[in-house]
Amino acid sequence: MSYQIPRGCQDILPEQSYAWQSLERTLREFCYLYNYDEIRTPIFEHTNVFKRENDSSDMVNKEMYTFKLENSKTSLTIRPEGTAGVVRSFVENKMYANPDLPVKLYYMGPMARHERPQKGRLRIFNQFGVECLGNKSPYTDVETIALAFSILKALGLQDLKVCLNTLGDDDSRANYRQALKDYFAPYKEELCSDCKRRYEQNPLRILDCKVDKDKECMKHVPKMKDYLNEESKSYFDTVCALLDELEIPYEIDDQLVRGLDYYTHTVFEIVSLNKEMGAQSTVLAGGRYDGLIPYFGGPEAMSGIGWALGMERLLIALEAEGIELGQKPDLDVFVMCLDEEARTYAFKALTELRAYGYRCEMDMLGRGFKGQFKAADRNHAQFALLLGNNEAQDQTITIKNLKEKTQETIAREALIGYVDAHMEEEHEHHHQEEEE
């Protein structure tokens, strides 16, 4: 019997993990600068955390992994996105009582959605996101967009576009929903089955349909901006003016509504223009939500804003632009055991080097001298320790600088000082070469 990974999943193999770690470090560093704190929520939640009343999104209606344990009536769902769980925790733990609002949180981890796998879209995928909870201000909206844009630019991405729209407040959206229902009424039978459901539940979601997007009736759809009240229009104008002040390029996309029903006011996407991305060009997306905190029992007037990115998709975007993140680091020292009787002596030297912060390895297979040298070379080791019976008896270390092709024998107690000094010399030499 052969065992294979489930469809729509992937293993992140050791040689790939360094790029992931590099990406994670960058994300954490920017969150540190913007004063965001990490939160870790459960991998599954009660289903009603995600499946809210009359939700029209495909994620809720088609893609969630929901289950009940045997002899249990409790319905649980593996998280398909991060926002709902974070907001649930924010309310449950009464973080809204924090005197220094907003509460700024970030999360990182696996999500699950049952959809058709393709490049940049997996059933188990890793998501990074931020949530800024507890206040409502166009300055907060722009701060979150600036954080997103700064991260992507710092990673080196150039082929980017910020798409922006507003969904307005409850009154503006109610007027727009009615306008859409009136407009699509004559075309209702032409719409796909999902859009027929959306027509009743939330007609804004028709604008996000991938099936009907090229139909003639989609070319003359009423625009949200024509149904904004003065308050919503003023709010969005301030967002745009602040983005202009920060020189963050954007374009307004009247049909951008986002895939989840809880969004209000500002919504945005950052897309890659690189052709290598294929159909999955959205790198990062998010928006403001006014009703989600009250839904979970928090203060009625409290709002939030956030965004999320798929980490797999971001790595594809980086690869498409020829950007390489972290690679497996070289070894500092490879310990070679030349006689079996000296293995314990060699092992103690290995352990001491690691205790002082050096990245080391030792042959554990009992290979010959030539095989161990090949292993040291494959690992790009700076130094090799050649330890046999003579060294063990004399309490010495024979050390070879594999980059400089030099070799000498030193006293055992001088090992750490020797490596310290020569590693520092190597670092300075490398730095000088870079400057030249």
Side-chain angles (χ1 to χ4, degrees), residues 384-396:
L385 302 191
L386 283 60
L387 304 179
N389 286 337
N390 290 340
E391 285 78 12
Q393 289 171 8
D394 298 341
Q395 290 293 292
T396 58

Side-chain angles (χ1 to χ4, degrees), residues 143-162:
E143 182 188 62
T144 58
I145 296 171
L147 169 58
F149 192 73
S150 298
I151 288 171
L152 298 182
K153 296 301 284 187
L155 288 167
L157 288 174
Q158 300 295 324
D159 301 338
L160 296 175
K161 178 174 70 173
V162 180

Side-chain angles (χ1 to χ4, degrees), residues 8 36 116 143 183 191 195 222 237 250 326 354 407:
Y36 277 76
R116 185 171 65 85
E143 182 188 62
Y183 174 79
L191 300 175
C195 283
D237 286 346
Y250 66 91
R354 288 172 173 167
Q407 179 175 313

Side-chain angles (χ1 to χ4, degrees), residues 30 36 50 69 102 114 129 134 162-163 183 213 217 230 256 262 290 295 331 394 398 401 410 423:
F30 272 89
Y36 277 76
F50 306 110
L69 297 177
H114 189 274
V162 180
C163 299
Y183 174 79
K213 64 177 181 177
C217 65
E230 284 304 313
L256 176 60
Y262 49 63
D290 283 351
Y295 170 84
L331 282 182
D394 298 341
T398 299
N401 188 324
I410 61 175
M423 288 294 287

Side-chain angles (χ1 to χ4, degrees), residues 192 194-195 198 205-213 218:
C192 70
D194 285 328
C195 283
R198 293 164 182 155
R205 297 283 297 114
I206 297 174
L207 305 182
D208 200 36
C209 181
K210 303 297 186 289
V211 177
D212 293 333
K213 64 177 181 177
M218 300 298 286

